[in-house]
Amino acid sequence: MTQQGVRWTADQVLALAPDSTSRKAGSKLGTADPWSGTGSSREGAVWGLCEGSGGTPYRTVVDTADGTGPAYRCSCPSRKFPCKHALGLLLLWSGGEGAAPAGRAPDWAEQWIAGRRRTQEKREADPTGSGSGPADPERARRRAERRAERITSGATELEERLADLLRSGLATAEQSGYTLWEETAARMVDAQAPGLASRVRELGAVPGSGPHWPARLLEECALLHLLDQGWLHRERLPQALSATVGARVGLPTSPAGPPVRDHWLVLAQYDTPDPKLTTRRIWLYGTASGRTALLLSYGAAGRAPELTLPVGLALDAEVSAHPGAGQRVSLGEQFAPPVLTGTRPPGMTTAEATARYGETLRHDPWLESVPVTLDNVIPTPAGDSWQLADAEADTALPLTSTAVSRPGLWRLVALSGGAPVKVFGECGHRGFTPLTAWPTTPGEAVRLC
């Protein structure tokens, strides 16, 4: 993923860690002491032998030039990707040319690297991954119709349950407990509507969650009712809004329209785990198109997704948008390996950020937040919370409770030191969640999540 001689920073390497434990363990292995036989190739592979608890050192190799993100191989028994040895090797490599000098890979590393190269060539030759010719369009149409019927049945049942709740009164939601919501969510899963199931589970967490919970529950019920009605009457909606409704309900989407080639800055990357799936969100900004785009990648529970693009890189690549009002794209052909860049996205005021969120809600009423970059803001205390205040105006954005509880808040405060900074994050009805920040003076991006 990187050109020979263009080395990542330690922060960019540690951004690959699947959790804080791996980050800490990998940092301890980022020195030369436990390593031997280290080297790197012009094509972007790094390898080395790391001393372990046994008599045989662990063989570790990383392919940073793979088209879908860094790939890792280590003989250790860890089920984490990357493991602590891969992180330590990359940290050692990031320290300079002498730590992993250019050379020929040993046989054990070369065999794995060559296999990765062959896999990438096959992927480029068959981008769809089908390997078996075109799909039967009639069969696909019938399958889509059957799924639509199941979702319609589920949405109709959900409407009945919402009506029962309103008839009996919102107070009964607290008395019923979470079991009722989980049963309803399971019915939506059976109806092949995972988006509805997710929103139902969120409803179940609202009763008894603090002051004014009945008002919040009513708001969420109204949004869920709106989504149900949107699905049940989707044939009356404009095409873009109908696509948005389908995506919110849980229909899979494929890229549509011509690909857009640009130099894409990697603005942020973070994972959202749940018991069954880890979702990785990568925000990109096109320097020529001025477009902010979202890459989604998934991994099984407990395993990090494969696609990894550390913050601070830029890649010359094509992306294709998914239908609907969202910013989701799929990564297409890459024309050069990603490189480090000092380019920053343009910013806006806090007032402009809230106006952008309001405008976007017209096209997607279920949107939790929008990506924005704020210019010249200062993190300041606000009662028992924090906010980002405009340095040149009497306006501010409150931080979300999630942002306030993260260690990244204190990195942001330290970076600012009372001076204005540029901050990229997500702005929504709960407030602003900072993800990356830059000092006003020249300097590298600071990851906050």
Side-chain angles (χ1 to χ4, degrees):
M1 291 278 302
T2 185
Q3 291 173 325
Q4 183 73 11
V6 180
R7 296 175 184 268
W8 298 344
T9 66
D11 284 343
Q12 289 167 333
V13 172
L14 293 176
L16 307 175
D19 51 43
S20 58
T21 302
S22 299
R23 190 177 298 114
K24 183 177 180 180
S27 298
K28 293 181 179 179
L29 295 176
T31 64
D33 293 341
W35 292 96
S36 61
T38 57
S40 60
S41 72
R42 187 173 299 278
E43 291 77 21
V46 189
W47 57 84
L49 302 173
C50 185
E51 294 179 3
S53 55
T56 304
Y58 295 123
R59 294 177 172 181
T60 308
V61 57
V62 181
D63 181 9
T64 65
D66 187 84
T68 60
Y72 319 93
R73 176 68 178 270
C74 185
S75 59
C76 76
S78 175
R79 295 176 60 87
K80 296 180 179 180
F81 294 91
C83 67
K84 64 181 180 180
H85 305 102
L87 289 170
L89 178 62
L90 286 175
L91 286 171
L92 183 69
W93 166 75
S94 70
E97 180 75 24
R104 182 182 181 277
D107 291 342
W108 58 268
E110 179 58 35
Q111 291 176 4
W112 180 79
I113 295 168
R116 296 293 304 181
R117 297 288 185 266
R118 288 193 296 270
T119 300
Q120 186 172 1
E121 290 172 0
K122 291 180 181 178
R123 187 168 58 234
E124 291 173 352
D126 181 16
T128 64
S130 61
S132 58
D136 181 356
E138 180 61 23
R139 185 177 179 182
R141 183 189 64 80
R142 291 196 300 268
R143 185 167 57 246
E145 287 180 350
R146 288 194 297 269
R147 180 169 187 174
E149 291 173 358
R150 294 192 192 98
I151 296 174
T152 297
S153 177
T156 302
E157 179 180 342
L158 183 54
E159 283 291 274
E160 294 172 355
R161 297 202 177 191
L162 290 175
D164 290 342
L165 173 62
L166 294 179
R167 275 194 297 266
S168 59
L170 295 179
T172 61
E174 189 173 20
Q175 301 167 4
S176 302
Y178 191 74
T179 303
L180 175 63
W181 301 103
E182 187 57 40
E183 291 176 353
T184 304
R187 289 286 300 117
M188 297 304 105
V189 173
D190 292 342
Q192 293 187 287
L196 293 180
S198 177
R199 298 192 76 92
V200 168
R201 291 192 180 98
E202 291 174 2
L203 279 181
V206 175
S209 60
H212 313 298
W213 70 260
R216 295 198 301 276
L217 180 61
L218 184 60
E219 291 171 355
E220 293 300 324
C221 284
L223 283 172
L224 187 51
H225 168 69
L226 182 65
L227 184 55
D228 275 342
Q229 290 298 310
W231 173 261
L232 295 173
H233 301 92
R234 59 192 181 281
E235 69 280 354
R236 305 180 189 175
L237 301 178
Q239 184 176 0
L241 184 55
S242 178
T244 297
V245 168
R248 291 296 179 189
V249 164
L251 287 180
T253 61
S254 300
V260 177
R261 180 177 178 179
D262 207 334
H263 283 83
W264 299 95
L265 309 181
V266 183
L267 297 181
Q269 173 181 290
Y270 68 94
D271 293 349
T272 305
D274 67 30
K276 296 183 179 180
L277 191 71
T278 297
T279 303
R280 173 165 293 168
R281 290 172 169 82
I282 302 176
W283 285 109
L284 306 175
Y285 175 78
T287 56
S289 63
R291 175 178 180 175
T292 304
L294 175 64
L295 287 174
L296 292 180
S297 182
Y298 302 95
R303 300 185 64 174
E306 285 192 8
L307 180 60
T308 299
L309 293 172
V311 175
L313 297 183
L315 60 157
D316 179 6
E318 290 181 340
V319 302
S320 298
H322 286 243
Q327 290 97 356
R328 186 183 176 188
V329 299
S330 289
L331 186 61
E333 183 178 356
Q334 299 182 50
F335 300 95
V339 295
L340 293 172
T341 179
T343 305
R344 304 177 180 186
M348 64 181 65
T349 66
T350 57
E352 291 169 337
T354 53
R356 173 171 292 184
Y357 178 56
E359 177 65 23
T360 308
L361 286 177
R362 295 175 56 190
H363 307 285
D364 185 354
W366 307 277
L367 191 65
E368 292 288 329
S369 60
V370 294
V372 296
T373 302
L374 301 176
D375 257 340
N376 296 319
V377 290
I378 304 172
T380 58
D384 58 355
S385 187
W386 284 78
Q387 63 183 7
L388 293 178
D390 271 301
E392 301 175 356
D394 189 22
T395 57
L397 273 176
L399 296 187
T400 60
S401 57
T402 301
V404 172
S405 64
R406 288 176 177 169
L409 170 62
W410 305 112
R411 291 199 290 272
L412 176 60
V413 172
L415 178 69
S416 166
V421 290
K422 179 191 286 283
V423 183
F424 171 78
E426 296 170 347
C427 177
H429 62 94
R430 293 187 177 90
F432 186 86
T433 301
L435 302 174
T436 307
W438 300 261
T440 53
T441 56
E444 296 176 351
V446 176
R447 190 168 177 261
L448 305 176
C449 58

